[in-house]
């Protein structure tokens, strides 16, 4: 005669698991490179956790148990080996003075997406933990992580971002501590190849970062290319999904913006926000007499100016960032 399954207590389940939802969302995003996919994966994580909760015996912490479920959900989702990239991950830059942008991306490309700062885990009493959370969501790091094999990616995140021990990581992944240590070593080496000299970045609430974002917004809304020249570094890069071509060098970036983006004054309106621990803005574009959601632009702000502009032309991202489909009327 089968043994009846114990019923889970929904109130206790919520009390035990709800505090980890935000950090699990960030973890799934780091694994798969898509904020919208990460939401779905967290939903699947909690569904599996609910089903298994009656048999949870507390041999590991609830947090470790949830991360085991979430990580394996992500690994299953990544089995087709689809890599999310930015345009700069496809090929080298094109000469910005050479002509029009190539609007045709390979059909099998999946684009990296930005992650709203409002989705990240709220800062605890220790400010250092907030810094770690922001740094682990930087766009350049997320782009680099996508080029690691999925299990190496998981090992690196569990060990170096989430601070699980080698033994805990091995238990989460169902492997050995020796395999964890080996995988971590290879993952570190690969990341050093992808980004050998990380640049010091400014947090979005830093006064200099706010000033750079404000100037970028003003320049974009007024088609002021001279102001853009002041805020972009000479080595700045510019890329925008879903377009495969990208530009390197301030002169090339400005040429593209002047000839293809900012040639109609007043065509854009931007609203400040933050994403991936970096200053960002919601993009609205005017069609006839009305503005409509266009996407998100994310800036890499450094003490010497903006080193990278990455625009994500996808109206659905505006709703994901919890902004309206049309911008509010400007204040007098």
């Amino acid at each position: 005669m089968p043994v009846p399954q114990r019923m889970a207590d929904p109130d206790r389940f919520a009390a035990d698991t709800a505090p980890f939802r935000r950090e699990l969302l960030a973890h799934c995003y780091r694994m798969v490179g898509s904020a919208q996919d990460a939401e779905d994966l967290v939903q699947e994580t909690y569904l599996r956790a609910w089903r298994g909760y009656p048999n949870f015996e507390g041999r590991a912490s609830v947090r470790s148990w949830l991360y085991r479920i979430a990580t394996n959900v992500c690994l299953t989702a990544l089995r087709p080996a689809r890599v999310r990239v930015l345009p700069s991950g496809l090929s080298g830059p094109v000469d910005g003075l050479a002509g029009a942008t190539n609007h045709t991306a390979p059909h099998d490309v999946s684009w990296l997406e930005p992650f709203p700062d409002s989705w990240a885990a709220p800062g605890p009493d220790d400010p250092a933990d907030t810094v770690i959370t922001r740094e682990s969501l930087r766009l350049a790091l997320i782009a680099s992580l996508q080029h690691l094999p999925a299990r190496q990616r998981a090992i690196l995140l569990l060990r170096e971002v989430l601070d699980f021990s080698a033994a805990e990581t091995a238990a989460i992944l169902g492997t050995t501590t020796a395999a964890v240590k080996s995988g971590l070593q290879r993952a570190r080496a690969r990341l050093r190849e992808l980004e050998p000299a990380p640049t010091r970045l400014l947090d979005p609430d830093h006064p200099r970062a706010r000033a750079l974002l404000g100037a970028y917004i003003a320049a974009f809304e007024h088609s002021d290319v001279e102001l853009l020249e002041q805020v972009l570094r000479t080595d700045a890069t510019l890329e925008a999904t879903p377009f495969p071509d990208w530009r390197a060098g301030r002169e090339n970036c400005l040429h593209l913006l002047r000839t293809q983006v900012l040639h109609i004054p007043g065509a854009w309106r931007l609203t400040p926000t933050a994403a991936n621990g970096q200053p960002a803005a919601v993009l609205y574009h005017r069609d006839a007499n009305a503005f409509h959601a266009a996407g998100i632009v994310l800036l890499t702000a450094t003490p010497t100016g903006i080193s990278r502009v990455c625009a994500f032309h996808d109206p659905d991202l505006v709703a994901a960032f919890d902004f309206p489909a049309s911008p509010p009327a400007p204040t007098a």
Side-chain angles (χ1 to χ4, degrees):
M1 184 174 181
V3 177
Q5 174 148 358
R6 289 182 293 167
M7 296 297 292
D9 179 344
D11 292 335
R12 183 178 174 186
F13 176 78
D16 282 348
T17 64
F20 303 105
R21 181 177 284 271
R22 282 177 176 263
E23 62 176 275
L24 288 168
L25 183 58
H27 176 60
C28 291
Y29 170 72
R30 296 183 192 103
M31 284 290 295
V32 302
S34 164
Q36 297 176 84
D37 284 358
E39 279 195 296
D40 293 338
L41 294 170
V42 169
Q43 287 291 99
E44 177 65 20
T45 295
Y46 273 82
L47 179 60
R48 293 190 186 186
W50 168 252
R51 289 171 177 167
Y53 188 68
N55 298 319
F56 175 63
E57 298 177 349
R59 294 177 182 174
S61 68
V62 172
R63 182 172 182 263
S64 295
W65 177 64
L66 288 172
Y67 270 102
R68 179 170 190 164
I69 297 171
T71 302
N72 283 286
V73 165
C74 291
L75 291 173
T76 299
L78 290 166
R79 276 179 189 160
R82 182 180 62 179
V83 176
R84 287 188 174 270
V85 298
L86 293 170
S88 55
L90 292 175
S91 62
V94 300
D95 184 353
L97 308 179
T101 299
N102 177 11
H103 292 287
T104 305
H107 66 86
D108 58 345
V109 166
S110 295
W111 297 112
L112 198 68
E113 294 177 358
F115 186 84
D117 272 18
S118 60
W119 288 14
D125 294 336
D126 184 1
D129 210 48
T130 301
V131 172
I132 292 171
T133 299
R134 280 177 168 172
E135 290 181 349
S136 68
L137 289 169
R138 302 292 196 198
L139 190 66
L141 174 61
I142 299 301
S144 295
L145 286 172
Q146 307 313 302
H147 293 281
L148 296 178
R151 287 183 71 82
Q152 283 186 25
R153 196 182 315 170
I155 289 169
L156 183 87
L157 293 173
L158 291 167
R159 291 285 287 116
E160 300 212 329
V161 174
L162 299 165
D163 204 28
F164 284 106
S165 69
E168 289 171 321
T169 301
I172 288 171
L173 294 174
T175 187
T176 65
T177 55
V180 167
K181 292 175 181 178
S182 175
L184 180 59
Q185 188 175 29
R186 284 195 287 266
R188 285 171 173 167
R190 180 62 177 140
L191 283 187
R192 284 194 295 270
E193 292 175 2
L194 293 167
E195 193 178 10
T199 305
R200 181 196 163 201
L201 305 186
L202 301 177
D203 290 334
D205 52 1
H206 189 283
R208 173 66 169 157
R210 291 200 303 266
L212 288 170
L213 176 61
Y216 185 89
I217 289 174
F220 224 77
E221 292 186 340
H222 297 97
S223 297
D224 189 341
V225 178
E226 291 184 359
L227 180 54
L228 278 177
E229 186 174 6
Q230 295 175 29
V231 299
L232 292 178
R233 291 185 358 175
T234 56
D235 62 347
T237 61
L238 172 65
E239 55 190 323
T241 65
F243 312 119
D245 287 351
W246 61 285
R247 303 297 192 268
R250 182 169 60 197
E251 182 182 358
N252 290 333
C253 296
L254 292 174
H255 177 78
L256 175 67
L257 292 171
R258 182 188 299 112
T259 58
Q260 298 190 43
V261 181
L262 300 178
H263 52 286
I264 303 176
W268 296 91
R269 189 173 295 168
L270 281 69
T271 302
T273 186
N276 295 83
Q278 299 172 226
V282 179
L283 292 170
Y284 295 96
H285 188 258
R286 189 175 65 188
D287 179 11
N289 295 319
F291 283 94
H292 302 281
I296 304 292
V297 62
L298 195 152
L299 307 180
T300 300
T302 75
T304 55
I306 297 171
S307 65
R308 185 181 193 182
V309 177
C310 188
F312 302 85
H313 290 282
D314 180 354
D316 290 341
L317 289 174
V318 174
F321 274 67
D322 202 26
F323 280 83
S326 299
T331 57

